[in-house]
Structures are given as structure tokens and as C-alpha cells.
Amino acid sequence: ANTPASFSVAVTPQNLAAGTYTGTVTISSPTSTSPVTIAVTLTVQSIPPPNATAIVNSASFVSGAVAPGEIITIGGTGMAGANDSYGLQLESGLVATKLGDTRVLFDGIAAPLVYVSANQVNAVVPYNVSGRVSTRIQVEYKGVTGSAIELRVVDSAPAIFTQNQSGTGPGAISNQNFSLNTASNPAARGSVVVVYATGEGQTSPVGVNGSVTPSNGSGLKRPLLNVTATVGGHAARVLYA
């Protein structure tokens, strides 16, 4: 090639045992009688596999079967760097499936990630698991994959998000004027409320992993399953889900 020029050398360390490795990179040219030799030292550190210990619905914090598109929370240790935390990011218009050095795999399929830290990961169950009896969930950190947790797959696992974000107490519900529904700010009879939930299952059109509904309301999807709601035990009219 013409000079000056740049090049890079990459190493894949996944199959190397922990330790220090040495080698050389030699650059030569048919027009030069003096090759250049560069010494290289590679240190591979042993990384313990991430340890996922619990998987729950992110709205109710109840454990159990998972549904396509459901937001889940994974608890454990070593799922990211001790002082690292990452929020939702977009890549090419889709929610990223890798935050920092962390991924969550469902039968080998990378899930969109909402939040990552050493002790907690929030992920969205890929729509690919729809129709399966079960799925194997693994957390991967820096290329090291932890033990799998196998959970049943169901058509839906609905749960309402709560204001305290722990699955208890008042729900995350907005009044018709978009104010938060509370005991001191109740909804008027006959008004519309918005209930924030997850676990609705497969949608129509078919869900796309990591897709974000445009703010202009185009591309809205609906659950394949029928959605019903009650208020105080009385059936309510569902305008959209």
C-alpha cells in the first residue's frame, strides 16, 4: 500500500486461559530490505461468569413464566463492572442488545436491554420465543456466559407497573389530563385513564425486537390476545392496548 498508512491487529482472547502471552508483529515490504518487528504482550485476566439468581416481571416483581415482549428484571452478581451502570440506548433505531459488555440471551437470541448494572439487568423478552414451551436465559459479560435459567413461555404475563417501581402500592396510571392518578387526584367517572403495563405477549403486526413506536403514533400495534379491564370489579371499555 501507499505510505503513510495505518493498520490494526486484533486478538480474540475467549479461548485463552488467564496469563501473559507474548508475540511479534513483523512488517515487511518488497521494496525494503529492513523489516520492522514489533513486540506484543497480551495479558488475559480470568473473568468469573455472571451469576443470575432471579428473574421477575419488571412491573409486578413476581417470578414465573415469561411472555414475548415482556419486560423482565434479572437479579444476580457480576453481570457488569462493579461501578458500571447503563441505561437504554438506541442502535440504528432499535433498542440496543448490548450495554457496556453485557448481553442477555434467550436460546442464544440477544434481548433488547433497558438497564444494566452489576446486580440488576432489565431486558425485553424477544418475540422469537413466541410459541415455544420454554426458553433458556443466560447473562453474558465480556464474552463469558453464565449458567442458564430455564423458564416456561406463556402467551401473556400481564402486570401493571407501580408508582414505587417495586410492584406494590398504587399503579402507574395517568388521568385523562395526563396527571398522575393518586388518592388526592382521582379520575372522574366516565373519564379515560392510561394504565402502564407489560407482558401482553405477541402483537399484530408481529413484534420486532427492540422496535420503538414513533412519537407521532404511527406503527401502533395491538396484542393478539383480547384485552379486558375492570375498575372496582366493573367492566371498563378498553379503547386501546
Side-chain angles (χ1 to χ4, degrees):
N2 295 326
T3 57
S6 300
F7 70 94
S8 61
V9 176
V11 177
T12 303
Q14 277 85 346
N15 296 324
L16 296 178
T20 301
Y21 298 82
T22 60
T24 57
V25 175
T26 301
I27 304 172
S28 60
S29 168
T31 60
S32 173
T33 58
S34 302
V36 177
T37 300
I38 304 170
V40 177
T41 300
L42 174 69
T43 301
V44 178
Q45 297 178 335
S46 177
I47 301 175
N51 181 31
T53 57
I55 299 177
V56 297
N57 183 297
S58 291
S60 64
F61 281 73
V62 172
S63 60
V66 296
E70 176 188 354
I71 304 175
I72 62 168
T73 297
I74 304 172
T77 58
M79 298 186 293
N83 299 315
D84 294 339
S85 63
Y86 303 91
L88 184 149
Q89 299 176 14
L90 296 181
E91 290 183 357
S92 302
L94 299 176
V95 176
T97 57
K98 186 175 183 179
L99 292 179
D101 294 305
T102 301
R103 296 196 305 164
V104 176
L105 307 175
F106 287 73
D107 299 328
I109 301 168
L113 299 179
V114 180
Y115 174 79
V116 163
S117 70
N119 301 315
Q120 177 180 325
V121 174
N122 289 5
V124 184
V125 179
Y127 288 101
N128 307 68
V129 306
S130 180
R132 300 183 184 183
V133 175
S134 64
T135 183
R136 290 169 56 85
I137 305 169
Q138 295 173 286
V139 177
E140 177 191 275
Y141 176 56
K142 287 191 173 181
V144 179
T145 305
S147 299
I149 296 178
E150 186 166 354
L151 293 179
R152 289 191 306 112
V153 176
V154 292
D155 291 336
S156 67
I160 298 173
F161 287 98
T162 60
Q163 294 178 23
N164 64 11
Q165 301 179 28
S166 67
T168 61
I173 301 172
S174 297
N175 293 327
Q176 186 164 309
N177 62 0
F178 300 107
S179 63
L180 183 65
N181 178 274
T182 65
S184 60
N185 187 38
R189 288 178 175 83
S191 64
V192 176
V193 295
V194 178
V195 181
Y196 295 95
T198 188
E200 74 283 3
Q202 185 59 272
T203 63
S204 176
V206 173
V208 177
N209 296 335
S211 65
V212 180
T213 302
S215 58
N216 62 9
S218 65
L220 292 176
K221 300 181 179 183
R222 294 178 179 271
L224 284 179
L225 299 178
N226 184 44
V227 178
T228 62
T230 59
V231 178
H234 300 282
R237 180 185 174 194
V238 177
L239 300 178
Y240 173 77

